[in-house]
Amino acid sequence: MLLKILLKFSIVIAVYILFSAVFSLLQNRTIYDNTLGMVSTNYERSGTAKRYIIYKVSDPYNGVTETNAYNWDAAYYLTIRNKLYADIDPHYVDRYAFYPFFPIIWKVSGIRSQNIILVNYLFFGLGIILLSQLFMKNKPQDIFFFILALLIPSAIVFYLPYAESLFVLTLAIALWGLFRQKYWLYFIGMIFFSMTRPAVIVLMVAFIGTDIVNLFRHRNFKHFLRQSGLTIAPVMLGCLAVIVIQYYYSGSWTAYFDTDDLWPKESGFLNKISDWSTEGFGMNSFSVIFLAVPAFIYSIILGLSALLKKSQKNLVSLFDGNESYIKEYMFNVSMMFMAGILGYFFLTSGNVLNGFFRYTMAVPFFYIILFQLPDKLQNVALKYKIGLMVLTAVMLFSSLLNIHYTGNVWRFEYLGLYLLVLIVPFILFEQYLSQNAKYWAILLYIIPAIVWHTYLFNMYLSNAWIYT
């Protein structure tokens, strides 16, 4: 096992080195003009914070500086790192929308600002290593899916000074405690996880929803209460810790929820679909059709099948170390989490898709699903896999062609979408591929995937309309 972990860590480092090398090369005018510059442009922002213009330029990449490294959400995390929620600027109320664990770790560790991007990526790498060891242990597809997890276009979020990397790592640590029957480790990991991102509120709903499905099966209400209590107790404690910290600075017990007033909230029903960027729109469209909608359908079928079937007398606990049960439980939780995010967006976003792939694919639940799909798909007939791929692809491209926002879909800004679509046959038909075919697929995929990561990273540095 140690050798496998060392191999995976080496792959994580190699991917980061390749990303850094490509990003550095594309800062050179000659190299950029004769490669990426032939098929794409970059963005530039000018003007003041309130009156600005974002336009396309044919310039090479920007270098990372203290000025451009902290745009968008990263600017809030940096301020929380330095002053927590103190009233030191006109936008201090906005900071209550962000949970404090990531900036606290950043502060306590003493990590220099220019190093946080690397450290944050390493947090992600360690989290993916743990999750793959838990959910793909001794599987022949382990390394193939592990590399895919690092290269998938949504992984760009983990290069940014955001909380997502720690979100993955803390849940991975908590689950390691479950698999090792160490409840104390699960408890501590979940407290820290719950202090990292507000999405944990959706997770609580997913936990309770999964426990209700299990209640339909065993019909033992006492067992349901005990299991749910042990599962969500550390989650509630972590959320309480955030509330207390924010209360200390705000004097309000509902400081996080009060920030809802800063953003418009309306149902997306009958609204036109829009996004903040073409790059984000492509990846968000994939996430909706290939991930969230199937997860929503799966969750409904799961609940109905459990309700209609006869009750089972055997009681299984999540905390007994039963690996098969833990895997199935977390798969169902992860699917319900995706369905919950879809429902939240539909009810509150006004059909503005911005950030949807970040909330569904740059989370540990996506990787829990990804790492279990080989087993889930092993016994599915080939004709059904082909039918599923064709159906979802038709849905995706029909929606793209009929949404006025998209314009011409055959341009570089949609590369992330096409790279995501390419992963679908990798996943569906992996069992039919030889080891050599898999490695050739990775070799052909890695360069465009890394280039896409660098392109989006430079877009972030340019302070353009962000894709997350």
Side-chain angles (χ1 to χ4, degrees), residues 76-198:
Y76 293 109
Y77 285 123
L78 180 64
T79 308
I80 295 171
R81 170 194 182 271
N82 295 331
K83 299 293 182 179
L84 278 176
Y85 298 98
D87 180 3
I88 60 172
D89 61 68
H91 301 289
Y92 76 96
V93 176
D94 301 13
R95 275 184 270 133
Y96 291 114
F98 300 87
Y99 277 19
F101 188 62
F102 167 60
I104 288 174
I105 290 296
W106 187 0
K107 178 72 171 180
V108 172
S109 66
I111 299 168
R112 294 170 63 88
S113 292
Q114 57 265 41
N115 296 329
I116 189 60
I117 292 172
L118 169 59
V119 173
N120 213 31
Y121 184 78
L122 291 178
F123 284 160
F124 163 64
L126 291 173
I128 295 301
I129 289 172
L130 287 177
L131 290 177
S132 65
Q133 288 295 113
L134 293 175
F135 291 98
M136 297 204 75
K137 185 175 68 173
N138 300 325
K139 301 292 183 183
Q141 313 96 329
D142 186 5
I143 295 299
F144 178 72
F145 275 82
F146 178 77
I147 297 174
L148 277 184
L150 298 176
L151 297 180
I152 197 164
S154 55
I156 178 56
V157 178
F158 302 110
Y159 289 91
L160 309 181
Y162 285 11
E164 271 75 4
S165 294
L166 209 55
F167 201 55
V168 172
L169 180 58
T170 49
L171 183 67
I173 291 171
L175 294 181
W176 191 270
L178 274 187
F179 277 79
R180 296 295 177 267
Q181 285 187 270
K182 299 182 185 297
Y183 183 72
W184 64 269
L185 184 57
Y186 168 80
F187 196 89
I188 293 172
M190 287 305 294
I191 289 177
F192 292 150
F193 173 79
S194 303
M195 296 176 64
T196 305
R197 291 195 63 237

Side-chain angles (χ1 to χ4, degrees), residues 420-431:
L420 284 168
V421 171
L422 273 176
I423 283 180
V424 175
F426 287 173
I427 295 172
L428 289 177
F429 309 124
E430 172 273 332
Q431 70 186 91

Side-chain angles (χ1 to χ4, degrees), residues 19-281:
F19 167 85
S20 301
V22 172
F23 185 78
S24 297
L25 288 171
L26 290 173
Q27 293 176 47
N28 180 280
R29 164 65 71 180
T30 302
I31 294 175
Y32 176 82
D33 286 346
N34 289 282
T35 54
L36 190 60
M38 299 176 70
V39 294
S40 77
T41 56
N42 288 317
Y43 295 93
E44 186 173 296
R45 174 188 288 242
S46 64
T48 64
K50 292 185 177 180
R51 298 176 63 88
Y52 58 84
I53 299 175
I54 298 173
Y55 49 92
K56 292 184 176 183
V57 294
S58 298
D59 292 337
Y61 285 177
N62 299 308
V64 180
T65 67
E66 285 293 318
T67 303
N68 65 15
Y70 307 110
N71 293 318
W72 298 90
D73 290 0
Y76 293 109
Y77 285 123
L78 180 64
T79 308
I80 295 171
R81 170 194 182 271
N82 295 331
K83 299 293 182 179
L84 278 176
Y85 298 98
D87 180 3
I88 60 172
D89 61 68
H91 301 289
Y92 76 96
V93 176
D94 301 13
R95 275 184 270 133
Y96 291 114
F98 300 87
Y99 277 19
F101 188 62
F102 167 60
I104 288 174
I105 290 296
W106 187 0
K107 178 72 171 180
V108 172
S109 66
I111 299 168
R112 294 170 63 88
S113 292
Q114 57 265 41
N115 296 329
I116 189 60
I117 292 172
L118 169 59
V119 173
N120 213 31
Y121 184 78
L122 291 178
F123 284 160
F124 163 64
L126 291 173
I128 295 301
I129 289 172
L130 287 177
L131 290 177
S132 65
Q133 288 295 113
L134 293 175
F135 291 98
M136 297 204 75
K137 185 175 68 173
N138 300 325
K139 301 292 183 183
Q141 313 96 329
D142 186 5
I143 295 299
F144 178 72
F145 275 82
F146 178 77
I147 297 174
L148 277 184
L150 298 176
L151 297 180
I152 197 164
S154 55
I156 178 56
V157 178
F158 302 110
Y159 289 91
L160 309 181
Y162 285 11
E164 271 75 4
S165 294
L166 209 55
F167 201 55
V168 172
L169 180 58
T170 49
L171 183 67
I173 291 171
L175 294 181
W176 191 270
L178 274 187
F179 277 79
R180 296 295 177 267
Q181 285 187 270
K182 299 182 185 297
Y183 183 72
W184 64 269
L185 184 57
Y186 168 80
F187 196 89
I188 293 172
M190 287 305 294
I191 289 177
F192 292 150
F193 173 79
S194 303
M195 296 176 64
T196 305
R197 291 195 63 237
V200 71
I201 297 171
V202 180
L203 174 63
M204 278 197 285
V205 176
F207 270 143
I208 294 171
T210 303
D211 287 336
I212 290 174
V213 167
N214 290 334
L215 174 62
F216 291 157
R217 291 169 175 165
H218 57 66
R219 312 296 169 98
N220 188 315
F221 194 68
K222 183 178 179 180
H223 183 73
F224 162 76
L225 290 178
R226 181 178 182 276
Q227 291 297 297
S228 290
L230 289 172
T231 304
I232 67 173
V235 179
M236 297 180 68
L237 190 58
C239 289
L240 179 61
V242 174
I243 291 172
V244 170
I245 292 171
Q246 294 188 341
Y247 173 78
Y248 176 81
Y249 288 93
S250 68
S252 170
W253 290 108
T254 59
Y256 166 74
F257 297 99
D258 295 342
T259 62
D260 278 357
D261 296 335
L262 300 173
W263 293 277
K265 295 287 188 293
E266 61 176 326
S267 168
F269 187 64
L270 297 181
N271 287 9
K272 290 183 178 180
I273 295 174
S274 64
D275 210 315
W276 286 8
S277 71
T278 306
E279 292 84 353
F281 177 76

